[in-house]
Amino acid sequence: MDEKTMPSRSQRRKGPQLHAKKKHKTGWMWHLPLMLILLGAALTVVYFWHTKDQEKVAVFDHAQQRLIHQQQPAHFQCTKEHQNKLEIITYQPKNEKFTKEAPLIHQQFLAMKEAFLKKHSLQAGTTWIQKIEKQVLNPKMNKIILSSQFFTWNKSKAHFNQQPLQQSALLLSSETGQEPTAKQIISSEENLLTLKPIVQQKILEQVKAPEQAIDQVLNLPNLSFEQKITIADKQLIITLPQEIAGLSQVSLPLNSVLPYIDQNYVMNQPIEQASSLDANKKYIALTFDDGPKAATTNQLLDVLAAQQVKATFFMLGSSAAQYPDTVKRVVSEGHEIGSHSNVHNNLRAMSPEAIKADIQAADKAIFLAGGQLPMILRPPYGAINTQGAQVVDKAIIQWNTDSLDWKLKNTPLIIQHVMQTVQPGAILLMHDIYPTTVAAVGPIIEQLKAQGYEFVTVDQLLNHQAKPLIQYFSQNDARNV
């Protein structure tokens, strides 16, 4: 090869590079059609899946709209919102002030949601239908009914699976839209004071060791309108001013406290009330003081059992401690127990502190003997004043017919005096510590029955409505202390 045909050194350096570049360009051009084919295929796939997704969305939207239409009550407004994977549909009456954002309503719906999530995982498309309905119970109260139902989306079958319906009810004041306050439910201090011994008895029934809790129960502070008091499930639920033996609240059956609460705030539900007395009949309450005394009280109980008569026993705490078996029998046979103080002192002559100590000692002794706290008090000699009545926190039971058995101590004379002085609605004073009295009781009952009298306890005679700071002389004679 001559010098003219030989490539120069610089040409020799560039030659292979130019060749390589040319070769690379040719390879890229060759792959371009393949890339376009692949891109087109990818776009086709994307379009296909997008179309499918749109179809699925359309199917879901159609099914949801049908569901909403089926569930919507007449004259209700509807709101929709989306939370995470949850579609929330809420129905409530038009032009109502309450909303699901109200704290009590919101809490109830959250509880329903938690109950659902305990059994189901939250899947996309889950639709939650909420309904808020109102029933006007009376001018003071509305009953708000909350309904909750979840519908889970079944992708494979393209329809909703209906989950169980959940419901709850709220009793709300028509004035505030909130739960009634203690002041609204129990409208007077007098009623609040009346509930205290009922609450104390309920505490002692519920704690595991009542004999260990009795002192704390007897020193329970008075209930106040600042405490939480609610009505639910035929119960009056009272949060205690202080925890006792692990107990922070008590529930009282509504039928046992109806006289002491505003019944406008009772849910519209059937409640069995204590039977009231027939205005056309004659009633009398036999009451016995100063016992128990084992021999005479048990003989008296035999007479009452034979005559099928219930009576009221006003017991001394000191005597109850001495004869606990007799106290148990009085309770077990369905008689009423009241307090007659601890050692029969004149309460009117005592200081408030001394009265409180005496009545608490009696309550404790009677409870430990028979398992019941006295709800009523007959003061010794009938002696009580306003200051004393405020300390004892019990209804004061006096009498309008005195058998004079304590004075006569003669069975025929006792019978004669009672039959001459008795009248319908009477509270009859006797004493179960005298044999002459016990002997007189049977004939008195028989003669009164012959005259059409029926025998009831003091609580029944007063229609279960005896209140502290009031003294009762007969069925229709009640006076402020």
Side-chain angles (χ1 to χ4, degrees):
M1 185 181 297
D2 58 19
E3 292 181 4
K4 291 181 179 182
T5 60
M6 287 183 63
S8 66
R9 184 178 299 175
S10 62
Q11 289 175 331
R12 287 196 300 269
R13 291 191 189 126
K14 294 179 181 178
Q17 294 177 4
L18 291 172
H19 180 72
K21 286 182 180 178
K22 184 176 181 180
K23 188 177 181 180
H24 175 73
K25 186 174 181 181
T26 303
W28 180 82
M29 292 296 291
W30 184 83
H31 286 291
L32 182 58
L34 180 61
M35 294 174 66
L36 290 174
I37 293 171
L38 293 175
L39 178 60
L43 290 173
T44 301
V45 171
V46 170
Y47 175 79
F48 174 79
W49 285 111
H50 178 67
T51 302
K52 284 291 185 182
D53 285 342
Q54 284 185 319
E55 290 176 357
K56 290 180 180 179
V57 169
V59 170
F60 172 81
D61 288 342
H62 178 72
Q64 188 182 66
Q65 289 302 318
R66 189 169 63 248
L67 174 66
I68 293 172
H69 178 74
Q70 291 171 346
Q71 293 292 319
Q72 184 168 5
H75 310 299
F76 273 56
Q77 60 188 11
C78 172
T79 58
K80 297 175 66 175
E81 63 179 298
H82 179 81
Q83 284 184 7
N84 194 5
K85 299 177 180 180
L86 197 59
E87 303 290 335
I88 305 175
I89 313 297
T90 304
Y91 300 113
Q92 69 181 59
K94 296 178 180 178
N95 304 319
E96 288 292 350
K97 294 180 180 180
F98 57 82
T99 67
K100 70 172 186 175
E101 282 74 30
L104 292 172
I105 294 176
H106 181 65
Q107 290 170 11
Q108 291 292 316
F109 277 133
L110 280 181
M112 294 174 179
K113 180 181 178 182
E114 290 174 4
F116 170 76
L117 292 177
K118 285 182 179 179
K119 298 181 179 180
H120 306 273
S121 60
L122 194 57
Q123 303 292 331
T126 299
T127 300
W128 183 12
I129 304 290
Q130 302 174 350
K131 293 179 186 176
I132 307 173
E133 302 173 79
K134 182 179 81 170
Q135 292 180 2
V136 178
L137 300 181
N138 53 62
K140 292 184 178 180
M141 291 305 301
N142 294 325
K143 183 178 181 181
I144 308 302
I145 302 171
L146 306 178
S147 302
S148 168
Q149 194 159 24
F150 288 85
F151 297 84
T152 53
W153 182 242
N154 187 322
K155 291 182 180 179
S156 61
K157 296 184 179 180
H159 71 79
F160 283 101
N161 293 327
Q162 179 176 308
Q163 303 303 324
L165 176 69
Q166 299 172 286
Q167 280 191 322
S168 68
L170 294 171
L171 189 67
L172 302 182
S173 166
S174 58
E175 298 176 358
T176 64
Q178 303 295 319
E179 285 185 303
T181 64
K183 179 74 172 177
Q184 290 174 309
I185 296 173
I186 305 167
S187 56
S188 71
E189 293 280 356
E190 183 183 77
N191 286 342
L192 202 61
L193 195 60
T194 305
L195 290 174
K196 181 180 176 181
I198 302 175
V199 169
Q200 289 173 311
Q201 176 67 38
K202 183 61 67 172
I203 294 171
L204 291 168
E205 291 173 3
Q206 292 185 355
V207 297
K208 292 182 179 179
E211 67 283 353
Q212 296 177 12
I214 181 66
D215 290 324
Q216 193 177 0
V217 169
L218 292 176
N219 285 291
L220 182 75
N222 287 343
L223 304 177
S224 78
F225 291 129
E226 304 305 314
Q227 290 170 239
K228 184 176 182 181
I229 299 178
T230 58
I231 293 176
D233 301 325
K234 300 183 183 180
Q235 303 284 319
L236 182 70
I237 304 170
I238 300 177
T239 300
L240 300 177
Q242 62 188 33
E243 186 175 290
I244 296 179
L247 199 66
S248 60
Q249 68 177 29
V250 294
S251 297
L252 308 176
L254 281 179
N255 59 2
S256 70
V257 296
L258 281 179
Y260 316 120
I261 63 178
D262 186 335
Q263 295 182 37
N264 283 314
Y265 296 100
V266 177
M267 275 195 177
N268 190 22
Q269 53 183 321
I271 298 172
E272 294 182 6
Q273 300 188 39
S275 59
S276 57
L277 302 181
D278 188 334
N280 298 315
K281 292 184 177 182
K282 297 190 294 185
Y283 297 97
I284 186 171
L286 304 183
T287 67
F288 298 93
D289 289 9
D290 292 354
K293 187 175 181 181
T296 52
T297 302
N298 279 300
Q299 290 173 6
L300 174 60
L301 290 170
D302 291 341
V303 173
L304 295 174
Q307 294 286 349
Q308 296 184 322
V309 166
K310 304 301 180 188
T312 301
F313 290 80
F314 290 97
M315 297 183 175
L316 295 171
S318 55
S319 297
Q322 189 174 0
Y323 303 109
D325 290 341
T326 304
V327 179
K328 288 184 178 67
R329 182 182 173 189
V330 171
V331 173
S332 67
E333 294 186 5
H335 301 286
E336 183 180 14
I337 289 183
S339 172
H340 196 42
S341 82
N342 195 43
V343 290
H344 210 279
N345 286 329
N346 187 332
L347 301 182
R348 190 177 288 171
M350 298 166 63
S351 69
E353 294 77 16
I355 293 174
K356 181 177 181 180
D358 181 274
I359 299 304
Q360 284 194 355
D363 286 349
K364 183 176 181 178
I366 292 170
F367 175 78
L368 292 177
Q372 280 191 5
L373 281 178
M375 302 290 174
I376 54 179
L377 170 75
R378 171 167 287 162
Y381 319 105
I384 191 75
N385 54 25
T386 303
Q387 187 180 52
Q390 290 173 339
V391 173
V392 300
D393 293 341
K394 302 181 192 296
I396 307 301
I397 309 302
Q398 303 286 10
W399 61 90
N400 71 337
T401 304
D402 188 346
S403 67
L404 296 181
D405 60 342
W406 55 274
K407 178 180 179 181
L408 298 173
K409 295 183 180 177
N410 179 292
T411 297
L413 291 179
I414 294 170
I415 297 170
Q416 180 183 5
H417 180 71
V418 168
M419 298 309 300
Q420 289 175 346
T421 57
V422 73
Q423 54 189 295
I427 297 177
L428 175 59
L429 171 65
M430 293 183 284
H431 300 77
D432 55 323
I433 59 174
Y434 303 124
T436 50
T437 300
V438 174
V441 170
I444 289 173
I445 291 174
E446 290 172 355
Q447 292 182 39
L448 288 174
K449 281 184 176 180
Q451 293 184 16
Y453 278 89
E454 294 186 13
F455 296 84
V456 292
T457 64
V458 166
D459 183 48
Q460 292 171 327
L461 186 71
L462 301 178
N463 202 26
H464 315 284
Q465 297 187 42
K467 298 180 180 181
L469 306 179
I470 307 291
Q471 52 185 343
Y472 299 87
F473 292 84
S474 69
Q475 183 179 12
N476 299 307
D477 184 0
R479 313 170 199 172
N480 293 326
V481 179

